[in-house]
Amino acid sequence: MSDPELTAAACHGDEEAFYALVSGLKRKLYGIAFSYLGNEADALEAMQEAVCKAWANCRKLKEASAFEAWLVRILIRCCIDEQKRRKRTLPLLFDKDERMAEMVSDSRLDLHQAMGRLRPKYRHVLVLKYYQDMTLAEIANVLDKPEGTVKTWLHQGLKQLRGKLNAGGEVYHGE
């Protein structure tokens, strides 16, 4: 079966087709979840929750061609819910685990802290663009926003991120 046929079959209740679709997306989904939550266990839990929600609501999907973007949107919501539930404010930083902090470079910690202080809409665009290498069109599809809006959010997010990184003192640019 081709992807459109597979998607249509999955949305009509075919478990094998749904499994095949999700299996093909598992690396991408894991990468997105890990980008938001910062550890394997939470990322896998968010993926599992998103897949369960997708299976339960797949028949309600109006356009089968939008399956991937729809599933990524569900995953992002699950990640945000997990962050709120555990009262995390910084998506990739573990304040409680000093060993993890020691393993991460100072500049990376600064970046994660600055990302955590961005408005969610800017953070979503930056994570999808730079952590997941998505195009602006793909991000617009996932976030269900016009491409122009995504471009504006990317520009504003980068501008704010630079400001937050520069506000902390000198910026190290390497040798």
Side-chain angles (χ1 to χ4, degrees), residues 1-130:
M1 269 189 228
S2 67
D3 278 349
E5 292 171 346
L6 202 58
T7 306
C11 290
H12 285 78
D14 185 343
E15 288 182 41
E16 290 180 21
F18 185 83
Y19 177 79
L21 279 173
V22 171
S23 293
L25 295 171
K26 68 182 174 184
R27 292 192 79 154
K28 183 177 191 173
L29 296 173
Y30 176 77
I32 292 169
F34 191 85
S35 297
Y36 276 89
L37 301 172
N39 71 50
E40 182 179 4
D42 289 343
L44 291 173
E45 185 176 325
M47 280 178 60
Q48 182 177 6
E49 184 178 343
V51 169
C52 287
K53 286 181 178 183
W55 173 249
N57 295 301
C58 194
R59 292 176 190 250
K60 297 176 187 174
L61 184 63
K62 294 175 185 167
E63 274 188 57
S65 62
F67 180 83
E68 183 178 339
W70 176 71
L71 182 55
V72 170
R73 221 175 359 254
I74 292 171
L75 178 64
I76 290 171
R77 287 187 193 122
C78 289
C79 291
I80 291 168
D81 290 346
E82 178 66 17
Q83 287 174 336
K84 286 178 184 175
R85 189 177 74 76
R86 297 197 179 176
K87 296 181 180 161
R88 291 187 186 152
T89 56
L90 302 175
L92 295 174
L93 181 65
F94 299 95
D95 292 330
K96 297 176 185 172
D97 190 5
E98 292 179 20
R99 291 171 295 153
M100 180 68 174
E102 290 174 11
M103 294 172 30
V104 179
S105 71
D106 288 342
S107 60
R108 190 165 179 192
L109 284 173
D110 291 343
L111 176 63
H112 294 311
Q113 288 174 340
M115 288 281 286
R117 291 190 303 255
L118 290 176
R119 291 179 63 187
K121 63 183 180 183
Y122 300 145
R123 187 172 53 244
H124 296 320
V125 172
L126 291 171
V127 165
L128 295 174
K129 174 72 175 158
Y130 295 108

